[in-house]
Amino acid sequence: FVTKKTKILDIGCGNGVITDEMMKYFGIKIVGTDIISYLKKGINIKFKIMESKTKLNFNDNEFDIGTLNDVLHHLPFDIQKDLIEESIRTCKKLLIFESDNSFASKIIDIIMNKLDDWRIPVPLALRNEKEWLTFFKENGFSCIYHLVPKPIWIYPVNKYLFEVWKKEKNSPN
């Protein structure tokens, strides 16, 4: 998905660690955005505060790729669609990474987020693979789904990657 010329927006970048690592690893231009700055000390990324939980302060198609890395489950179910639509408006391609809806995912999410920054909302609005695919279809999105390999065999959480876009009005899918 990424070349040196790719402009990426990391939506809901949290502490900025993943954003910073992507910038260093790929040598790319990347901007982080979130509802408040949770950035860790020493993270040196371009950052812009979001206008609201579902409104980005960027132009249409300003970025080649937008990423939502474990972000949607931090929003109540009823506004997840709004952030996806806004992300698609701002980015030519949208990549959504999410964890499955399991007991382990919930426990890990609560512990890791509260240790990282107590202000991070944790509504546990997780979905499993089938629920995500149904959500996308029911809300007028098309997607390509990828199961992300677990980093180690004992890692208890399945991770999903969805390439998401808005369906064309006359598209049969």
Side-chain angles (χ1 to χ4, degrees):
F1 299 110
V2 178
T3 69
K4 295 245 186 230
K5 294 181 181 181
T6 305
K7 285 180 60 180
I8 297 179
L9 178 62
D10 190 8
I11 304 156
C13 69
N15 63 21
V17 171
I18 292 173
T19 314
D20 190 56
E21 287 300 316
M22 286 192 302
M23 182 179 67
K24 290 174 187 171
Y25 183 82
F26 292 110
I28 54 173
K29 294 179 183 176
I30 189 165
V31 176
T33 189
D34 213 317
I35 57 171
I36 62 175
S37 178
Y38 301 106
L39 296 178
K40 286 203 175 286
K41 213 175 201 177
I43 297 295
N44 189 23
I45 62 167
K46 187 173 180 183
F47 178 83
K48 191 172 187 180
I49 296 283
M50 294 171 65
E51 189 173 312
S52 71
K53 290 180 181 179
T54 60
K55 183 72 176 143
L56 302 170
N57 292 318
F58 299 100
N59 297 323
D60 292 357
N61 294 315
E62 186 171 339
F63 295 89
D64 299 309
I65 296 175
T67 61
L68 290 163
N69 294 308
D70 286 323
V71 171
L72 291 174
H73 68 264
H74 289 276
L75 297 174
F77 288 118
D78 62 334
I79 63 172
Q80 290 175 347
K81 176 186 176 195
D82 298 334
L83 181 58
I84 294 170
E85 286 178 337
E86 178 69 354
S87 301
I88 290 171
R89 178 194 66 79
T90 305
C91 306
K92 296 171 190 163
K93 180 182 286 246
L94 180 62
L95 303 176
I96 299 174
F97 297 87
E98 272 298 333
S99 300
D100 68 346
N101 185 10
S102 68
F103 180 74
S105 293
K106 291 174 183 176
I107 296 301
I108 291 169
D109 197 49
I110 291 168
I111 293 169
M112 295 304 292
N113 285 291
K114 293 308 173 187
L115 287 174
D116 193 41
D117 192 311
W118 62 269
R119 299 171 295 172
I120 297 173
V122 187
L124 300 175
L126 295 155
R127 292 182 168 92
N128 64 32
E129 167 192 344
K130 184 178 178 185
E131 291 167 332
W132 276 116
L133 294 171
T134 299
F135 168 82
F136 293 134
K137 185 176 183 179
E138 288 176 349
N139 287 288
F141 300 111
S142 294
C143 76
I144 298 172
Y145 161 71
H146 310 270
L147 180 62
V148 178
K150 291 181 182 182
I152 55 176
W153 68 271
I154 60 170
Y155 190 70
V157 176
N158 285 325
K159 301 293 282 184
Y160 310 123
L161 164 60
F162 302 97
E163 298 174 58
V164 178
W165 63 95
K166 194 74 174 163
K167 286 184 184 177
E168 298 297 322
K169 294 213 184 280
N170 297 324
S171 172
N173 297 329

